[in-house]
Amino acid sequence: ISSAAWTDFFEHEIARRFVSGVTVTQAYGRNIRDAGFLVRDPTRVVILVHADCDDAERGIGKIIAGFESRFGAGSVLRITVP
């Protein structure tokens, strides 16, 4: 994902839904694809601190669906901590 494509996605899909704050950090990831080959990718970790409410859940769902649709990503990891 190019820097310009990420910035566009971030501004239009993430930042507008979570205007009170979001943190993004760059990371390095690796995983095994369906065909059994190892893929190493630069990646981004998005950290959202939000209320436990339906609006936040819908927003996160839309972000994940938008990312998968726009970039053809087959996997988005979501971790929720109470």
Side-chain angles (χ1 to χ4, degrees), residues 53-66:
C53 66
D54 290 342
D55 285 344
E57 288 299 314
R58 277 191 295 278
I60 293 168
K62 288 179 181 179
I63 290 167
I64 292 170

Side-chain angles (χ1 to χ4, degrees), residues 19-58:
V19 296
S20 63
V22 58
T23 299
V24 177
T25 185
Q26 293 195 20
Y28 178 79
R30 57 176 260 172
N31 62 59
I32 305 236
R33 297 283 164 89
D34 292 337
F37 60 93
L38 179 65
V39 176
R40 294 177 177 97
D41 289 318
T43 190
R44 291 171 180 89
V45 177
V46 178
I47 302 166
L48 298 167
V49 177
H50 58 83
D52 185 12
C53 66
D54 290 342
D55 285 344
E57 288 299 314
R58 277 191 295 278

